[in-house]
Amino acid sequence: MGDCLIGAMTDLTTAVAAAHIRYANKRPQSAAADERARRVLPGGNTRSVLDFEPFPFRVATAVGAEVVDLDGLRYVDFCGNYTAGLLGHSPTAIRDAIVAALDSGWAVGATHEREAELAELICARFASIDQVRFTNSGTEANLMAVGTALHHTGKSSVGVFDHGYHGGVLAFGDLGGPQNPLNVPHRFVMSAFDDVAGLDALFADEDLGCVLVEAVQGSGGCRPASAEFLHEIRTRCTEHGVVMILDEVMTSRLAPGGAQERFGITPDMTTLGKYLGGGMSFGAFGGKQSIMAEFVASKGGELTQAGTFNNNVVSLAAGIATLRTQLDADRLAAVNERGDRLRLALNELAAGHPTNLRATGLGSMVCLHTDDPRHLELLFHALLDEGLSIARRGFMALSMEITDADVERLITAIGNWLDRHAQDVVSGS
C-alpha cells in the first residue's frame, strides 16, 4: 500500500511537470511576452493572482465570454476577472457610454452630474445605503469604511474572520497563523468564520469599533456564511454599539440588492466594487446617513476623503450604464441559478472520486477544491487544453455571457478528466 501511495505521488509530480511542458510548447508568444515582462515587472506582472506556472498566457482580445491569447488560442472565460467581469467582455452598452462621456472631457478636476446620478442608483438599489462615496477599488472602499467606522465609534479594534479578504492590505489567513505582511496596521481581532460561538470572544473586546465580513468569502474559497451567523453579528453589533460593515465587493452580484437582500441582513455600512464599474476601476462605500455625516464639514464632520480619480468620468459613466442597462433582476437571477446548477452538478459528478474534488460557493460564485493542490493544478491545465479558463486556485465567477452550453461543456470536460485521472494518476499506474 505504501508503494502504491509513493507511486501515486510520484506520478502526480511527473504529470504536473508534463502539463507545464505541454502548456509552454503551445504558447511561444506568451512565453516571449512573459520573458519581456520579467525584465521590468517583478514576477512579470502587476497583479499577483494572475501569475501561474510555467507562465500566464497573455490576452490579445476579449469579447463576450471568450478571450484569445497572443498565440491565437481561445478560451471560454469562467474566471470572470474574479467577479469583476459579470457583464462579460467588452459589452457594447458600456463602451458606448464611455465614448459618449469622453466627448465632454475626462480629467475635469471638478464635480459633475454623473456623481449624483450614480449615487442615486446605488442608494436605490442597496437598502442599507443612505449615502455613498466613491473610490477607485474595493480595497480602497474597505479601507475607507473601516476608518470611518472607527472614527464614528471612537474605538480602535477591527473584527475580522479567518481567510477573509478585503483587499491586498486587508487579507487574513488561519487563526493564530502568520498574516499578510502588507496589511495596514489596524488592531485586528480575528474570529472563526461562520462560527457563532466564536463571536463571544470577538465581542468581549471592549475596544471593538467595527466588524468587517463577507457573506460569502470569495478569495477564501467561496465559503458561504450561514444566515444565523450573519444575523448574530448584526444583533451583537447593535447591542455593543459596533458598526457592521458588509463587504459586498464580490457578493453584490448574488441578488439585485446584493447578498444582504439574499440573506435578509441590514449592515450599518456596505462596500462595493468590481463589476459595478462596468469593467472600469471602481469602488464605493456607504451606509447610514448618521455615519456618512462624518464627511459633512458643515455639520461638524471631521473626515475628508482625497482621491484624484474618485469621481473620474469613465468609471462613473460605465457604472451608470451598468446599473441602468445591464443588471435587471431576470439576468441576475439567471446567472446565479446557472452557477448553482454548475456547483451541484460538479459535486454530484465528483462524489466519491479519489481526488475528493468538491465545489463550494453560492450563485454565480463557485470554487473547486481538492486535498492535494497538484490535482487542482492538473485540472487547471487540462481545462486550458480544452479551451476553458478558470482561476488556477479553482475559482470561477460566471458572467452573463456564459451559456448553458458553456456550462455543459465545462461539466463534461471535468467529468472526462476525473475518469482519466482516477485511472492514470491516483492509482499510481
Side-chain angles (χ1 to χ4, degrees), residues 57-336:
F57 62 83
R58 304 275 165 165
V59 173
T61 59
V63 177
E66 186 179 74
V67 296
V68 182
D69 70 18
L70 293 178
D71 293 282
L73 299 174
R74 297 177 177 273
Y75 313 88
V76 178
D77 179 13
F78 280 90
C79 178
N81 198 7
Y82 298 86
T83 74
L86 176 60
L87 309 184
H89 297 289
S90 309
T92 301
I94 308 305
R95 184 183 186 281
D96 289 348
I98 292 170
V99 171
L102 293 177
D103 286 341
S104 61
W106 50 95
V108 296
T111 58
H112 51 90
E113 288 189 320
R114 290 185 183 88
E115 294 167 272
E117 184 177 358
L118 182 54
E120 287 167 351
L121 292 169
I122 287 175
C123 290
R125 190 174 193 90
F126 299 99
S128 66
I129 300 180
D130 296 331
Q131 293 185 315
V132 67
R133 292 180 73 90
F134 301 126
T135 66
N136 290 276
S137 68
T139 299
E140 289 181 35
N142 281 315
L143 285 169
M144 292 303 301
V146 166
T148 302
L150 294 180
H151 178 79
H152 183 72
T153 58
K155 298 182 178 181
S156 63
S157 295
V158 182
V160 295
F161 299 93
D162 65 303
H163 301 287
Y165 180 88
H166 309 282
V169 293
L170 291 166
F172 306 94
D174 295 328
L175 281 172
Q179 301 302 320
N180 177 21
L182 293 179
N183 277 352
V184 292
H186 285 302
R187 180 174 179 268
F188 296 108
V189 183
M190 192 187 301
S191 185
F193 182 72
D194 202 30
D195 179 1
V196 172
L199 296 176
D200 290 343
L202 182 66
F203 282 90
D205 187 319
E206 295 183 356
D207 203 35
L208 190 67
C210 65
V211 173
L212 178 61
V213 64
E214 293 174 280
V216 180
Q217 287 191 329
S219 293
C222 287
R223 300 165 66 198
S226 64
E228 178 190 12
F229 177 68
L230 294 174
H231 282 273
E232 186 65 20
I233 293 174
R234 172 67 280 172
T235 297
R236 296 197 189 200
C237 281
T238 300
E239 291 174 348
H240 292 263
V242 173
V243 174
M244 180 182 181
I245 306 171
L246 190 63
D247 179 346
E248 290 246 44
V249 172
M250 286 189 172
T251 61
S252 61
R253 62 168 34 223
L254 296 177
Q260 56 196 265
E261 176 185 300
R262 187 157 179 164
F263 283 85
I265 195 82
T266 305
D268 299 304
M269 298 189 75
T270 298
T271 57
L272 302 167
K274 300 288 188 183
Y275 73 94
L276 282 169
M280 301 297 109
S281 300
F282 178 77
F285 67 101
K288 291 181 177 179
Q289 188 169 0
S290 58
I291 297 175
M292 299 305 289
E294 301 289 356
F295 291 93
V296 185
S298 62
K299 295 185 178 180
E302 297 178 340
L303 299 183
T304 61
Q305 179 203 4
T308 302
F309 299 106
N310 288 345
N311 67 339
N312 78 86
V313 167
V314 171
S315 292
L316 298 192
I320 291 167
T322 296
L323 285 164
R324 288 203 182 282
T325 69
Q326 304 295 302
L327 299 182
D328 64 83
D330 289 343
R331 292 189 75 195
L332 275 177
V335 71
N336 284 304

Side-chain angles (χ1 to χ4, degrees), residues 19-79:
H20 289 173
I21 292 170
R22 184 174 64 250
Y23 173 94
N25 287 342
K26 291 181 178 179
R27 297 168 177 83
Q29 298 300 319
S30 282
D34 184 70
E35 183 178 351
R36 174 191 178 190
R38 289 179 184 275
R39 297 189 192 109
V40 288
L41 293 164
N45 67 81
T46 189
R47 187 181 177 191
S48 298
V49 73
L50 302 181
D51 193 24
F52 58 82
E53 294 295 330
F55 52 83
F57 62 83
R58 304 275 165 165
V59 173
T61 59
V63 177
E66 186 179 74
V67 296
V68 182
D69 70 18
L70 293 178
D71 293 282
L73 299 174
R74 297 177 177 273
Y75 313 88
V76 178
D77 179 13
F78 280 90
C79 178

